[in-house]
Amino acid sequence: RDSLSGVVRAHSAAQEISESQEGNFSLLIGATIDITSSTSSPLIEENTSALFSLILHPTSIESYGNLSELLTLGKSRTKNGRCSLTIRDIEQFHEGLIFTILPHQLSPKSYHSRDSQLQHLRNDVGELYDATRSRSTLFSLALFRSFTHLATSCERAIVKLGNDLRIPFVATNTPLAHS
């Protein structure tokens, strides 16, 4: 999370697998970063909660540079080594990146369409989608099973959000990474 650490080890492992299997093993590089509301302060406090995370995958050397620029900018705003970016930041360096939006667990009251948390998520995701879809390779909304008592309601809210904004879905597990 919030870094490209592990890329060298992953590349070495992929190369080893390709050589031993006599086949081509493709490595998909990426990073998961938290997106804070565009109304947040540029200097992010440690306890600021993100509305959603983005899983970003570069598609070229240039887009890898864009991802690195984003991570550098986001890390310059925090004291704890985390990364904090806004939609405006993503707009500056998004070319050539594959986007997967990973919504955070919504509160139970947010399943109603008038709730402010769901409305903020809808506004921010819609703003990001509109700003980046013309120059992004792929933009999708992640659906994953959380196995909590609120999972079905949360999934319905996310599906409604994706359908309303016409964002395609991708099924995923819950991405976990070292921090």
Side-chain angles (χ1 to χ4, degrees):
R1 182 174 282 279
D2 301 330
S3 78
L4 290 166
S5 62
V7 169
V8 173
R9 282 187 312 237
H11 178 71
S12 296
Q15 198 170 19
E16 203 174 288
I17 291 169
S18 289
E19 289 170 3
S20 69
Q21 302 294 322
E22 296 181 22
N24 190 12
F25 183 84
S26 297
L27 180 63
L28 183 62
I29 304 278
T32 302
I33 56 174
D34 289 335
I35 302 299
T36 56
S37 176
S38 50
T39 58
S40 297
S41 162
L43 186 58
I44 306 302
E45 299 296 322
E46 283 186 42
N47 58 359
T48 302
S49 63
L51 220 52
F52 61 92
S53 294
L54 271 179
I55 304 170
L56 299 171
H57 298 285
T59 59
S60 65
I61 291 173
E62 291 81 15
S63 59
Y64 186 88
N66 288 341
L67 180 54
S68 296
E69 288 278 345
L70 281 169
L71 291 167
T72 300
L73 176 63
K75 286 177 178 285
S76 71
R77 293 190 176 140
T78 62
K79 298 177 185 174
N80 61 359
R82 298 285 315 242
C83 181
S84 185
L85 295 166
T86 66
I87 292 169
R88 304 279 182 274
D89 301 325
I90 302 296
E91 289 175 13
Q92 292 176 27
F93 299 103
H94 74 277
E95 197 146 345
L97 293 172
I98 295 173
F99 289 80
T100 302
I101 295 175
L102 184 64
H104 291 187
Q105 184 73 38
L106 300 170
S107 68
K109 65 180 182 175
S110 68
Y111 305 139
H112 306 291
S113 60
R114 283 177 254 194
D115 178 68
S116 64
Q117 184 186 20
L118 186 60
Q119 195 58 45
H120 281 295
L121 180 62
R122 181 183 308 280
N123 292 343
D124 286 352
V125 168
E127 181 183 349
L128 179 64
Y129 184 52
D130 289 341
T132 60
R133 69 177 162 185
S134 64
R135 295 192 315 248
S136 296
T137 306
L138 183 64
F139 195 103
S140 58
L141 184 60
L143 275 176
F144 58 92
R145 177 65 68 169
S146 67
F147 298 105
T148 67
H149 67 289
L150 300 172
T152 303
S153 298
C154 184
E155 289 166 9
R156 284 184 185 141
I158 292 169
V159 167
K160 180 168 177 19
L161 171 70
N163 287 337
D164 289 350
L165 296 174
R166 298 177 187 242
I167 299 173
F169 296 99
V170 63
T172 181
N173 61 345
T174 306
L176 299 175
H178 66 283
S179 48

